[in-house]
Amino acid sequence: MTTTNICETRVRRGDPTPRRFSLAYYVDGVLSGDRAAMGRTFSVMESDLPSDQVLAEQILDGVLCRTGKSRRIGISGVPGSGKSMFIDALGMYLLHERGEKVAVLSVDPSSPISCGSILGDKTRMARLSGQPSAFIRPSPSRGCLGGVARHTRECVLICEAAGYQNVLIETVGVGQSEMEVSSMTDFFLLLMIPGAGDELQGIKRGIIELVDGMVINKADGENLGAANRARGQYESALRIFAPNREGWTPSVLTCSALENRGISEVWQMILGHLAQKEAGGLLQRRRQTHALTWMQELISSGLREVFHNAPAVQQRLARLEDSVRAGVTTPLRAARELLEVYRDRIPGPQSGRPVLRCVPTSIESPSETK
Ligand SMILES: Nc1nc2c(ncn2[C@@H]2O[C@H](COP(=O)(O)OP(=O)(O)OP(=O)(O)O)[C@@H](O)[C@H]2O)c(=O)[nH]1
Ligand SMILES: [Mg+2]
C-alpha cells in the first residue's frame, strides 16, 4: 500500500484526531488480508462519527462479494469457564492441524462507565495472539445491551472478506449477549465447568434452547470424574430442553483447554453439525434470518435515534420522565404523548403537514405546544 492512497479526511472528535484513509485503502487492504488495514477498518466500524458510519457502509459494500464463506462460531459460558483459553487451544488446532486461518472477536466484560476494553483476553490467548494467521480483536462492549459489541456483525464480515475461514466470537456470560451472539453465528457453543453444582450453573433455560453444542471444559486433574458426571447431567438436560432442534440434538463433550485434550473432537462435532445444516439448506436459511434480524435491529436503533433527536421530543422528554418518576403520569401515557408529538410533527403520508394533536398537560409549558 503506497502513501498515495492515503488521503484526505482527518475527522475531528476532540483529541486524538482519528486519521482516515481512502476507501480504496480499506477495501483493498481488507481483501488482501492486511492486518493493519483490518485494524483500521474496525476502528472505522466502531466509530460514532456520522462520516465514519458512511465510510463503514462503503467499505462493507466494497468487500461484500467476498463475505459469507467462513464458519461463524459463538462461544459462551459463565465467567471463568475457560472460554479464552479454549479459543486459544482451538485456534492453535485450526492453524496447525488444519492449516486454516482464525479470527477471534472477543467481547470484553468492560465497564459500561469507562467504555474501556481490558487487555486480559490477549494475554489469555497467549499462544494464538503471536500467530501470523490469527487475528484477535478484543472489542469494548460499550455497555450496550447484552455486552456484545455493537459492531460485531460488521467485524465478522470484515474477517471473512480478509480470508479467515473461521470466526470465533467469545461473549461474556450475561444472558442477553448469548441471544445476540447466537443470532449472528452458525454454531453456538456453551462452555461449562465441572463441580459447580448439579444444577445448570445458573444458565437459564432460554440459553439452553439456543445451544448447538456443549463442552465441559477443565476436564483434567482431579476434575476429571466431576466432568464426566456433569456431562451425563447436561446430556439429560439437553434432551429435555433442546430436543431435536432443526434435526439436531446438541451433544455434550468434555475437554481440557489447559492440556489440549478433546479439542479436535469438539471441532468434529461443530463440523458435523454445520455439514448437516448445510445439506438441508438450514445454514443458508439461518443466515438469511440473521441478516434480516440485523436489518431490523438497525432500523429500530435508527428510529430510536431519530426519535430522541427530534426537537419536539427533546422539549418534552425530561418533563415527562420527571412526571413518570413522580408517579403523576403513567409510562403508557407518557410514551403515547411522545410518540404522538413525534409523529404529528413529521410530515408523512397520513398527516401531510405537521399537526400537533397532543393535549397539553399540567407538566408542559405553553411554549412546548407551539
Ligand atoms: N484446569 C484447567 N484450568 C483452565 C482450563 N481452561 C481455563 N482454565 C483456567 O481458568 C481460568 C479462566 O480462564 P479464561 O480462559 O480466562 O476463562 P474465560 O471464560 O475466558 O473468563 P472470562 O473471559 O473472564 O469470562 C484461568 O485461570 C485458566 O487458566 C482447563 O482446561 N483446565
Ligand atoms: Mg475470556
Side-chain angles (χ1 to χ4, degrees):
M1 194 60 49
T2 65
T3 47
T4 51
N5 277 340
I6 300 174
C7 80
E8 127 218 313
T9 37
R10 274 182 165 267
V11 192
R12 295 206 161 270
R13 181 180 52 177
D15 284 323
T17 306
R19 185 174 186 184
R20 295 297 176 238
F21 299 82
S22 70
L23 177 60
Y25 166 80
Y26 294 103
V27 172
D28 295 346
V30 167
L31 292 179
S32 64
D34 180 334
R35 298 163 70 94
M38 283 176 73
R40 287 178 178 137
T41 301
F42 285 170
S43 301
V44 174
M45 302 284 162
E46 288 162 2
S47 163
D48 288 329
L49 289 173
S51 55
D52 280 345
Q53 287 167 14
V54 173
L55 181 58
E57 205 178 310
Q58 290 170 335
I59 298 170
L60 283 175
D61 283 342
V63 303
L64 193 66
C65 59
R66 292 267 292 275
T67 62
K69 302 212 166 47
S70 307
R71 303 179 193 96
R72 303 168 183 174
I73 314 294
I75 294 160
S76 191
V78 292
S81 52
K83 298 178 291 294
S84 300
M85 193 172 256
F86 171 79
I87 289 172
D88 195 45
L90 177 61
M92 291 300 283
Y93 165 77
L94 292 171
L95 247 54
H96 296 298
E97 304 292 324
R98 301 186 63 91
E100 295 179 0
K101 291 171 81 178
V102 181
V104 181
L105 302 177
S106 170
V107 180
D108 291 340
S110 55
S111 155
I113 297 163
S114 70
C115 289
S117 172
I118 57 170
L119 291 171
D121 270 317
K122 269 209 171 179
T123 56
R124 286 170 194 171
M125 296 179 202
R127 294 174 296 169
L128 200 57
S129 58
Q131 301 294 316
S133 291
F135 186 89
I136 301 175
R137 177 78 176 180
S139 320
S141 60
R142 292 183 179 227
C144 75
L145 185 66
V148 176
R150 277 184 313 160
H151 299 292
T152 307
R153 285 187 176 93
E154 284 104 316
C155 295
V156 169
L157 296 181
I158 295 302
C159 294
E160 291 185 342
Y164 289 80
Q165 294 102 323
N166 303 290
V167 183
L168 312 179
I169 306 173
E170 175 184 346
T171 174
V172 289
V174 288
Q176 182 67 23
S177 63
E178 278 89 353
M179 299 286 286
E180 292 181 35
V181 166
S182 105
S183 80
M184 63 180 82
T185 49
D186 305 323
F187 190 100
F188 182 67
L189 184 72
L190 190 61
L191 236 62
M192 308 295 277
I193 38 176
D198 291 345
E199 72 297 335
L200 285 172
Q201 296 177 20
I203 299 286
K204 294 194 183 69
R205 181 178 165 172
I207 293 164
I208 295 292
E209 287 169 352
L210 300 173
V211 164
D212 295 308
M214 198 185 267
V215 172
I216 321 287
N217 187 35
K218 306 195 184 184
D220 47 46
E222 55 191 29
N223 286 331
L224 210 49
N228 287 326
R229 280 194 299 280
R231 178 182 180 175
Q233 288 163 359
Y234 293 131
E235 265 170 350
S236 314
L238 284 173
R239 269 198 298 275
I240 296 165
F241 293 129
N244 200 22
R245 198 157 45 84
E246 296 175 333
W248 169 267
T249 303
S251 315
V252 185
L253 299 178
T254 57
C255 83
S256 169
L258 186 70
E259 295 180 355
N260 261 320
R261 281 193 296 101
I263 304 298
S264 67
E265 287 81 355
V266 173
W267 190 246
Q268 290 310 319
M269 168 178 76
I270 293 173
L271 289 184
H273 178 261
L274 295 182
Q276 186 177 326
K277 264 190 177 161
E278 203 164 2
L282 281 168
L283 195 58
Q284 198 192 359
R285 283 210 287 284
R286 180 159 161 160
R287 285 195 174 185
Q288 286 167 346
T289 306
H290 292 171
L292 291 177
T293 304
W294 183 10
M295 187 183 86
Q296 294 295 346
E297 280 175 14
L298 290 173
I299 291 171
S300 300
S301 66
L303 281 176
R304 208 173 301 124
E305 200 178 321
V306 171
F307 171 81
H308 282 284
N309 287 338
V313 170
Q314 285 180 348
Q315 276 173 14
R316 281 170 174 72
L317 188 62
R319 280 168 186 274
L320 278 169
E321 281 177 346
D322 285 346
S323 184
V324 168
R325 258 194 295 269
V328 180
T329 305
T330 64
L332 196 75
R333 180 181 163 86
R336 183 180 54 75
E337 282 192 26
L338 286 167
L339 287 169
E340 279 185 0
V341 83
Y342 170 75
R343 192 172 53 222
D344 293 346
R345 290 216 166 173
I346 305 273
Q350 294 101 349
S351 60
R353 65 192 170 82
V355 181
L356 188 68
R357 281 212 320 265
C358 232
V359 179
T361 68
S362 57
I363 57 157
E364 292 170 330
S365 70
S367 63
E368 289 169 344
T369 59
K370 281 175 194 158

